[in-house]
Structure formats: structure tokens, C-alpha cells
Amino acid sequence: MIDGNDVARGRTSLVAVAICCLLAVFEGFDLQSAGVAAPRLAPDLGLSPDALGWFFSVSTFGLMLGAAIGGRLSDRLGRKTTLLFSVAVFGLLSIATGLANDLNSLLLARFLTGVGLGGALPNLIAIVAESVEPRLRSRAVGFLYAGLPFGGAIASLVSLAGADPSDWRVIFHVGGAGPLLALVLAIPLLPNPPKPLGAAGDVSVQKAGFAEAAFGDGRGLTTLLLWIAFFLALLIMYLLLSWLPSLLIGKGLSRPEAGLVQMAFNLAGAVGSVVTGWLMDHPNRRTLTILAVFGASAVALTAAAGAPASLPIFLVVGAAVGATISGVQSTVYGMAPSFYPMRLRGTGVGAAVVMGRLGSAAGPLLAASLIGAGRPPSQVLLALLPILAAGGVACLWLSGRTTPSDD
């Protein structure tokens, strides 16, 4: 006999995951809007390669600040309140980005957009992780993460819809209006999870801070390796998200062709995230999944570096890179919530996201440095291989960790 309470809990969990995935789509749109807008934005505002590198990276500094603040507020004020405020911030500031007329206003708007984006992501991860049974956690987070590249594919589609250089502004206007409209659904429908701090009078819990979340109960080495994995994984992803269209044009593709490859990269990435999350939920397959995902990523990057300037070839290779690199992200994001007890999960995951954002800031700047030094696109892609290998070693170690939880 089916318990009515179980049905109600299942429906509530489904609604929570669905709304978080919708918000993740808009977060993915905004995170990737800079990369797809860059080929039009740079000539329109007269940005040099160095200035373009800072445009790509400045939002990640905001993301670091937002993730640190958002994760901590999440554990104190509640997931839903912090999430909705963060979504409103990145929606409004994305619109402001589309109104910028010089480098300074552009960088300020992108930095503040990053604060909102950074505050949203740890809360999305925590809500999804806490809305499902632990045995389904990795695949649920995989679905959530799939929203990010799917949103990026929509950003590429919006970019391809116009031909005038000033159309880069439309990308940011759409990226801001979408999450603001999504709030109309999220405010009444998103379940309000119980505050992770437990009883309001539990002073010892309220005083729990960053140090306890990150390093308490023997989590020190686990946290450090998780930070390394986040840093390296996001360095690779954001280098590709920011520079892939420009690298493809540098290899001989036209701007519309580069946009199509970027769409293939993102759509395949959404599939790769879901499949990897599903595989990671099977403990006996976890090590094999990590080896397969990181190994396939290395093969795909090597193929992309050596591929000729042919649209059909790059559609296949770009899809392979997107699926495998997104699988790497899904691996890291899927493991993170299980290392921290519920009452400290927002802070713990938020700290890992901060370290990832350091990587996402370093990635575009690394590419800008290599390109500025005269390195061809193929060498930029091959430079990612040792970084990928180091991240794989960290993830393999983490996969064997036992994770006590208070869920």
C-alpha cells in the first residue's frame, strides 16, 4: 500500500528539483553569456585581448565572494531565502551588463552579477541534495548541473539570432529577464527546506563556523583535495566556455560555425552531466566512472587540438569535449554535498565553490596569457591535459572516502 505521506514527499522533492534545475538553466545562460558575446562585444567596445581576459574573469571574483557569503547565509537564514535573493541580484545585474558603454561599467556590472551567481549555486546544490534520498543524490545533482550547459546552449542560440555587433547586449538582457521571470514560479512553488541549523536555541550549532565545516571531524584532507578538484575542473571548463568560440575562429571556422560548435558543446554537456551523475550513484562503478570520464576528456581535448577546420568534424569533437568535460564537473559537484553534514553543508559546499571560482578566474587568464604569447589554439587546448590529470587523481582519492552524514 502506498503511503500518502511518501507520495506527498516525493511530489515536493520533484518540484524542488525541477525549480532548481530551471534556475540552473538561467544561471548557465548567464555564466556563458560572456563567452558567446565576446566576439561581438570586443570590437564594439574596442577591448584588447588583455581587457577581454579581465571581462571573462571579473565575474568569477564576484562568484567567489557570492559563494562564500551565500553558503554561510544559507546555513543561517535558510536555503530558499538566500537563493531567491541571489537569483534576483544576478538577473538585475545581467541586464545592467547589457547597458554598459565602457570597460569600467562593464567590469563592475559583471563583478556584481557574479556575486549573485555565486550566492545561488551553493544553495541550488544544497537544496537538490537535501530534497532526494542519499542514494539518488549524485544523479539529482547531475540533472541540476545539466542545466548549466543547457543554458549555455540557449545563450549560443540567442547569439546566433543577430548579426549586428550591438546585438551582444541582447544576450545579457535575455539572461537577466529569464531568472527574474522564473522567480514568479520559484517564490510560491519552491518548498522551503527546514533551516539546517536545527533548533533556534542551539547556540553551539549557531556558532559553528567555516573552520568546523571545512576541517571538523577529520575532514581536513578531504576538503583540501575537494578544493583542488574544484579548482582544476572549473579552470578547464571556464577556459573553454570563455575562449572556445575565439579558439575555433582562430582555427579557421567562421563566427556562425563557432556558435554552432558551442551549442553542440553545451547540449552534449547536459547529457554528459546526467549520465555521469547516474553512474556516480552506483558505488561499485564510481572509480571506473571517474577513470572513464577523465580519460575520455583527455582523448577529446587531444582530438580537438589536432582537428582540421571542418564544421562537421568540430561538431562531433566539440560535442565530445562538452560531454566529457561536463561529466568531470558533474563528478566533482555530485561528490561535494556528501562530505558535509546537513547543518554545515551550505558553508562546506560554498567554500568548495569559492575554490572552484578561483579556477574559473584562472582559466580565462591562462588562455589570454598563452594567446598573448603567440600560442596557437591547439597548444592552448593541449595545455589542459596535465591539469585534467591532476584533477582526476584528486577525484579518485575522494571517491573512496566514507562520508558520515546527519541527513
Side-chain angles (χ1 to χ4, degrees), residues 248 251-254 257 261 307-318:
L248 292 171
K251 286 183 72 71
L253 297 185
S254 67
E257 288 174 337
V261 175
S310 166
L311 179 59
I313 291 175
F314 262 105
L315 285 173
V316 175
V317 172

Side-chain angles (χ1 to χ4, degrees), residues 166-187:
S166 63
D167 284 346
W168 66 265
R169 299 179 186 276
V170 174
I171 297 170
F172 294 104
H173 292 157
V174 172
L180 295 178
L181 291 174
L183 286 178
V184 176
L185 288 175
I187 290 172

Side-chain angles (χ1 to χ4, degrees), residues 58-130:
V58 71
S59 67
T60 63
F61 295 112
L63 282 158
M64 287 185 281
L65 177 62
I69 296 173
R72 192 67 184 131
L73 291 178
S74 170
D75 286 339
R76 290 187 172 272
L77 303 180
R79 315 288 193 219
K80 180 176 178 179
T81 299
T82 309
L83 172 63
L84 296 181
F85 179 76
S86 299
V87 170
V89 169
F90 84 70
L92 291 171
L93 270 297
S94 179
I95 293 173
T97 302
L99 300 175
N101 289 310
D102 57 39
L103 180 61
N104 290 334
S105 60
L106 185 72
L107 294 181
L108 177 62
R110 288 306 293 165
F111 174 79
L112 294 176
T113 302
V115 173
L117 291 167
L121 190 54
N123 286 281
L124 288 170
I125 296 170
I127 290 173
V128 168
E130 290 162 7

